[in-house]
Amino acid sequence: MCLYRFTSPMTVPLDSVLPRSRTIIFLSFSLVSILLFRAYVLTRRYWKIGQITILHELPKLGKPRQGGRLIDGTVVIAGGSIAGLLTAQICSTHFTRVLIVEPDTMLSTSATPFEEPGAPATASEGKNRKIFNPRPRVMQYTSGHNFQVLTLWALKELFPDIEVEALKVDPQAIVHADSKVYIGNKHLKPPLAHYKGDLPKHLNVGRPTYETLLRRLVKRDCDNVEFFSGFVTGYQLDGKAGPQGTGASRIESVTIRSKDGLETIEPAILLVDCTGSAQAGLKWITNSTNPCKIAKDVYNPKICYTTCIFDVEPSLMDKLQIPGGYANARTIFTRNSHPRMKHDPRSLYIIKREHNTLHVACGGYDVFDRPKCINDIRTVIAKFAGPDPVPAYVYQLLDILEDHCEESAAYLDARCAPFSFVKYHGVADQLPNNFIAIGDSLMILNPIRGQGCIKAMIGAATLNGLLRSCKPVSNLLSSGVSLPENFGKRFWESQNKRTYSFWTTTKAADYNWDTTIPVEGESLKDGAFVRWYNRTLLDVAFKNEDVAATLYDITMLITPACYAIRPGIAIRVLWMGLKNYLGLEL
């Protein structure tokens, strides 16, 4: 009898199943780990973007307060310029009353001279006409301004019809954000391929137009915003203080002096310093019953520039051989000094503005060029170091201006005051919990980078996000309500996270020039690594369009600045730095 060992064809030996099971388990575990890590990275990135930018705040701007009920109280805003107007719009959606106190009488009445936004006040005196600055407290009022893409994104949330209103002033008030930038003698091309030929748009108007447009829209849309001509001279505390007289002090009322010298006391639930370069908040705190010492960093890169303004009949430029034609141009040419060319601190900007005007701005670090005619502008260009980067159409444009527009030209000289940063965030526990500062009243930056106006927008958006998340508390000393005790501290911390990099990167760049007077206790060697990284990043961007696109987005503030140190870019920068060091690239 034969015994057969039966083996089912479906049976698999155990020793072959176990390794396969381990492999599947390992692969499954690896896949889950990768997915979880990626989810963590994305979550972390989203959180970080919310911490250091206002991109997540944009959808909340201009929206009614949750529940629809406004906080009962008056917000006093000292200063009615750009920061004050943006802050007023934000506060109008959260509080029952907003009072803007502004020294310039014309800004607090309906009889504003800017019924045509942006129209300059002029006085013709034959050759080289004079343009009077109607805002003497704002040195750059008649100077060129640049607005990042983020500005327009935020404005569209605050005022949904901003594009329509801007285009009423000038058909080219909203254009694709191409600044025609040359760094030294190299053209930093816009990332057209990255955006498939359709660059994001930005607001491209002068300061008078932007500010006047904001004021009109605030007056039109915000019924609870009032204007008063005068000064905020101080405040009164409610008498309650935290441990050791710090931490929980609260402003109960504000002293306002009219233009006639009469003083009134205005109860206030929030006081906002938007006084710009006056930085009046420092004086109020110093003179209060609960003063504290606030650090203030100051440095001076000795920025000087001249803005040359020409009235240009558009038909004169019909033969100008500029790509796309003069009629479709907005920014004609931009040339910034290259950080490697330390003997060449000059910059040049040519921008077409509303009302058929053209601005040519020349300036730089401790330069003494003061153009008073077209030939002087040519002399400035001739001083640029290296191969001439200026396109032929720029020389052609200067020839046309010389032949037809020089008689009516205006030349406005300006010397920037030292730049400063008031470090309120460092003593937040010692400040009244309902006092904040926004815009230049907090930080004055080098205007070459055009970050002044967007800094005010960031502060206003930060305030909006904080107000939407906070609930007022009952005030035991009155029948009303007040803001939470940690309101001020939370604001200072959040705003500082979003604006501090402006100060550090700009200061580091300005320390590149030997003529800069540094912050007390610092030297021009400070920030050396930041300067090295940024100039090497430029070298990479000239050769790599993906890196150039990231740099473009960072410049337009629609991507966090920390993206410049992401691994893919950082490796390229380090490799380029090594090649530069070995003399293989420069």
Side-chain angles (χ1 to χ4, degrees), residues 247 381 387 529:
I381 295 175
F529 177 76

Side-chain angles (χ1 to χ4, degrees), residues 214-462:
L214 278 182
R215 187 169 293 105
R216 282 185 175 180
L217 294 175
V218 168
K219 289 184 176 181
R220 183 197 69 182
D221 295 349
C222 307
D223 295 335
N224 55 344
V225 174
E226 303 172 17
F227 291 79
F228 181 82
S229 180
F231 300 85
V232 171
T233 59
Y235 58 73
Q236 295 76 41
L237 300 175
D238 63 0
K240 176 185 176 183
Q244 299 178 356
T246 64
S249 62
R250 186 184 69 85
I251 293 173
E252 184 177 52
S253 58
V254 175
T255 303
I256 300 174
R257 180 183 299 154
S258 71
K259 298 290 286 187
D260 299 326
L262 300 177
E263 287 193 348
T264 57
I265 303 297
E266 182 71 44
I269 192 171
L270 177 65
L271 172 61
V272 189
D273 179 10
C274 295
T275 57
S277 59
Q279 297 178 337
L282 283 173
K283 304 180 184 70
W284 305 335
I285 294 171
T286 300
N287 297 327
S288 72
T289 57
N290 187 20
C292 66
K293 186 176 181 180
I294 303 172
K296 179 179 177 180
D297 285 353
V298 180
Y299 77 98
N300 187 6
K302 302 178 183 178
I303 296 295
C304 308
Y305 61 89
T306 298
T307 302
C308 317
I309 303 177
F310 302 90
D311 292 326
V312 179
E313 179 61 39
S315 61
L316 295 174
M317 298 294 179
D318 287 345
K319 295 183 179 180
L320 183 66
Q321 297 175 358
I322 181 174
Y326 182 82
N328 300 315
R330 196 62 173 186
T331 301
I332 308 295
F333 178 73
T334 302
R335 191 270 184 183
N336 287 325
S337 53
H338 196 293
R340 294 189 188 280
M341 300 177 180
K342 299 188 69 171
H343 57 291
D344 181 16
R346 292 173 176 79
S347 296
L348 174 70
Y349 307 87
I350 305 178
I351 306 173
K352 189 171 72 172
R353 284 303 189 205
E354 52 273 24
H355 304 292
N356 294 330
T357 59
L358 184 75
H359 286 202
V360 179
C362 311
Y365 295 86
D366 200 31
V367 296
F368 297 95
D369 305 318
R370 296 291 185 270
K372 296 302 176 189
C373 64
I374 296 295
N375 203 47
D376 289 346
I377 299 175
R378 294 193 185 99
T379 301
V380 171
I381 295 175
K383 294 179 180 179
F384 291 162
D388 186 2
V390 181
Y393 65 78
V394 171
Y395 292 105
Q396 185 186 5
L397 180 144
L398 294 177
D399 291 341
I400 295 173
L401 292 177
E402 187 174 47
D403 292 341
H404 301 281
C405 308
E406 192 164 20
E407 288 295 321
S408 61
Y411 298 87
L412 310 177
D413 296 331
R415 176 183 288 272
C416 294
F419 307 134
S420 60
F421 174 29
V422 184
K423 297 184 175 181
Y424 286 116
H425 66 283
V427 292
D429 288 333
Q430 303 177 49
L431 300 175
N433 73 325
N434 57 341
F435 164 75
I436 62 174
I438 289 175
D440 283 356
S441 58
L442 173 77
M443 180 188 299
I444 301 175
L445 298 168
N446 189 335
I448 286 179
R449 293 177 177 242
Q451 295 172 328
C453 292
I454 191 60
K455 173 166 47 66
M457 180 70 78
I458 290 172
T462 299

Side-chain angles (χ1 to χ4, degrees), residues 525-538:
K525 295 180 180 179
D526 292 339
F529 177 76
V530 174
R531 286 191 292 278
W532 173 86
Y533 191 92
N534 285 338
R535 65 174 177 256
T536 310
L537 176 64
L538 271 176

Side-chain angles (χ1 to χ4, degrees), residues 57 72 123 140 185 196 294 311 314 371 436 451-452 460 499 536 551:
E57 304 280 6
D72 187 21
Q140 294 175 257
N185 54 13
K196 299 180 180 179
I294 303 172
D311 292 326
I436 62 174
Q451 295 172 328
T499 59
T536 310
L551 186 58

Side-chain angles (χ1 to χ4, degrees), residues 91-258:
C91 290
S92 71
T93 63
H94 293 279
F95 298 92
T96 55
R97 180 170 178 255
V98 180
L99 178 63
I100 296 179
V101 182
E102 167 58 48
D104 287 339
T105 306
M106 68 177 194
L107 303 185
S108 56
T109 67
S110 58
T112 170
F114 300 116
E115 287 307 313
E116 280 299 321
T122 64
S124 178
E125 294 187 2
K127 187 173 182 178
N128 292 356
R129 65 185 171 120
K130 292 184 177 180
I131 293 184
F132 299 123
N133 181 0
R135 299 291 313 284
R137 291 182 177 86
V138 184
M139 183 201 70
Q140 294 175 257
Y141 192 74
T142 53
S143 303
H145 276 65
N146 180 58
F147 303 100
Q148 292 82 1
V149 170
L150 181 61
T151 299
L152 182 59
W153 286 9
L155 286 173
K156 289 167 70 173
E157 298 293 339
L158 291 172
F159 309 102
D161 63 341
I162 184 69
E163 290 195 32
V164 174
E165 294 299 320
L167 292 173
K168 288 179 182 178
V169 179
D170 190 288
Q172 291 182 302
I174 310 290
V175 295
H176 293 290
D178 179 7
S179 298
K180 309 291 191 303
V181 176
Y182 285 74
I183 307 296
N185 54 13
K186 293 183 179 180
H187 185 198
L188 186 59
K189 297 179 180 179
L192 291 171
H194 177 79
Y195 281 102
K196 299 180 180 179
D198 188 22
L199 293 173
K201 293 184 178 181
H202 72 149
L203 182 69
N204 196 316
V205 295
R207 166 69 180 260
T209 294
Y210 179 44
E211 185 174 324
T212 307
L213 196 55
L214 278 182
R215 187 169 293 105
R216 282 185 175 180
L217 294 175
V218 168
K219 289 184 176 181
R220 183 197 69 182
D221 295 349
C222 307
D223 295 335
N224 55 344
V225 174
E226 303 172 17
F227 291 79
F228 181 82
S229 180
F231 300 85
V232 171
T233 59
Y235 58 73
Q236 295 76 41
L237 300 175
D238 63 0
K240 176 185 176 183
Q244 299 178 356
T246 64
S249 62
R250 186 184 69 85
I251 293 173
E252 184 177 52
S253 58
V254 175
T255 303
I256 300 174
R257 180 183 299 154
S258 71

